[in-house]
Amino acid sequence: MPMETIAVSGIPFPVSRIALGTWAIGGWMWGGADDRQAIATIHEALDLGISLIDTAPVYGFGHSEEVVGEALVGRRDKVAIATKVGLDWKDGKPFRNSSAARIRQEIEDSLRRLRTDRIDLYQIHWPDPAVPLDETARVLEDLHREGKVLALGVSNFSVAQMEQFSAVAPLAAVQPPYNLFERAIEDDILPWSAAHGLAVLAYGPLCRGLLSGRMTAASHFGSDDLRSADPKFQAPRFAQYLAAVAALEAFAKERFGRSVLALAIRWVLDQGPTIALWGARKPEQIAGIDQACGWTLSAADKVEIDRILAAHITDPVGPEFMAPPGG
């Protein structure tokens, strides 16, 4: 099926509704990096119709951006790059820093690593309680006027924070965690974004691999793997989530002849003005993207999905463990 696209205010062409997420490509918190495989993954994504790549300086402390920049040599004008700003780090530990000085430094570092003269979508990675939001918004609006940034976005922001930001600078997108298991944004962020014309870049649509259909009770995560700190991957919850995935897999195959992975992505795409960030670090990890496009879930399908979740997950938990500390 052809790739579905969506308009993002400020970006001069429609972008794919499935974007490549590159956190794992940076290596940090995902068991190390393999640049050869990562570049092959990016090229495979482009060949499959993906035209939006999402990265961040903190993903491998600059490494993910460098790999993306290398992979896009000769292909830059066909791809929208989304990256982020507002996290600093010391001794391999990130913390929030959205000061004007930090942002001015970060934009130049990101442009250099990405080998480009502009960022298509520049997003505040996490709100910084130590810096007035108006200060952060003003410097980002300056970068926007200077042409270094085409569109502005935020990540992990509340509706109140988005309202405050958008009073100072134009807001085109928001990036929250969102998947079949983590759905808090349906209460406020998703409807607000739809009403105000924002694209919603849903990160973790496969819930850190849980919804890939490839995990089993024997799956192991090392201490340098993000999932070793995720409560979903610890007993007793891990068994609950695996049981839900198995039931969703059976439902997807019986009803649609598709994988649970395709079902999980389709569900995100059907929720509103959404883009699903498909994280991958090996070419084979983005196989099956075409299965997620060109169809839709009915209201009855969504009811059955919710029934499956309620039947198997008795102790749900959100993505709160991922929040970095303040400065």
Side-chain angles (χ1 to χ4, degrees), residues 237-316:
R237 289 189 178 100
F238 193 33
Q240 295 176 18
Y241 282 98
L242 286 177
V245 171
L248 290 169
E249 179 84 68
F251 170 73
K253 287 182 178 177
E254 179 180 345
R255 186 72 61 94
F256 308 108
R258 300 176 189 267
S259 67
V260 66
L261 184 153
L263 176 73
I265 297 294
R266 185 70 252 166
W267 182 91
V268 168
L269 297 180
D270 280 353
Q271 300 308 305
T274 47
I275 296 169
L277 296 178
W278 187 310
R281 60 193 306 180
K282 300 177 182 178
E284 59 267 27
Q285 291 175 338
I286 53 173
I289 277 180
D290 58 330
Q291 284 195 40
C293 298
W295 58 291
T296 190
L297 294 163
S298 69
D301 294 331
K302 293 177 183 178
V303 168
E304 177 60 14
I305 288 170
D306 288 347
R307 187 201 66 77
I308 289 170
L309 299 184
H312 293 282
I313 303 172
T314 59
D315 189 21

Side-chain angles (χ1 to χ4, degrees), residues 85-107:
V85 67
L87 285 186
D88 205 340
W89 55 85
K90 184 177 181 180
D91 299 327
K93 296 181 179 180
F95 58 92
R96 308 182 200 203
N97 183 354
S98 291
S99 66
R102 175 62 181 167
I103 290 171
R104 280 289 181 183
Q105 174 188 337
E106 281 201 78
I107 185 70

Side-chain angles (χ1 to χ4, degrees), residues 8-68:
V8 178
S9 179
I11 298 179
F13 55 88
V15 300
S16 56
R17 292 194 69 202
I18 298 175
L20 181 66
T22 64
W23 186 359
I25 279 174
W28 173 67
M29 298 190 79
W30 292 94
D34 183 329
D35 293 357
R36 182 184 59 81
Q37 287 269 40
I39 291 170
T41 301
I42 293 168
H43 290 167
E44 177 72 5
L46 301 184
D47 292 344
L48 290 171
I50 286 177
S51 59
L52 176 62
I53 296 178
D54 181 78
T55 185
V58 79
Y59 299 165
F61 307 114
H63 192 67
S64 176
E65 285 188 330
E66 290 173 346
V67 173
V68 170

Side-chain angles (χ1 to χ4, degrees), residues 125-259:
H125 207 148
W126 285 86
D128 182 358
V131 177
L133 187 51
D134 290 1
E135 174 186 332
T136 300
R138 278 193 298 271
V139 69
L140 288 173
E141 171 60 2
D142 289 343
L143 296 177
H144 181 240
R145 286 198 305 267
E146 293 165 15
K148 293 182 177 180
V149 174
L150 301 187
L152 299 176
V154 293
S155 181
N156 303 297
F157 269 48
S158 68
V159 165
Q161 290 165 331
M162 289 192 289
E163 288 176 336
Q164 184 179 351
F165 182 98
S166 59
V168 177
L171 192 56
V174 59
Q175 185 173 150
Y178 190 44
N179 55 65
L180 277 167
F181 297 145
E182 298 169 338
R183 296 163 62 168
I185 70 165
E186 293 173 359
D187 296 334
D188 48 12
I189 293 170
L190 191 58
W192 190 91
S193 299
H196 290 82
L198 273 66
V200 177
L201 282 68
Y203 75 77
L206 299 179
C207 199
R208 296 166 292 286
L210 259 178
L211 287 159
S212 69
R214 301 186 183 110
M215 290 188 179
T216 70
S219 296
H220 174 73
F221 311 101
S223 60
D224 60 347
D225 190 307
L226 169 74
R227 291 165 291 193
S228 66
D230 186 339
K232 287 184 180 63
F233 295 82
Q234 317 301 321
R237 289 189 178 100
F238 193 33
Q240 295 176 18
Y241 282 98
L242 286 177
V245 171
L248 290 169
E249 179 84 68
F251 170 73
K253 287 182 178 177
E254 179 180 345
R255 186 72 61 94
F256 308 108
R258 300 176 189 267
S259 67

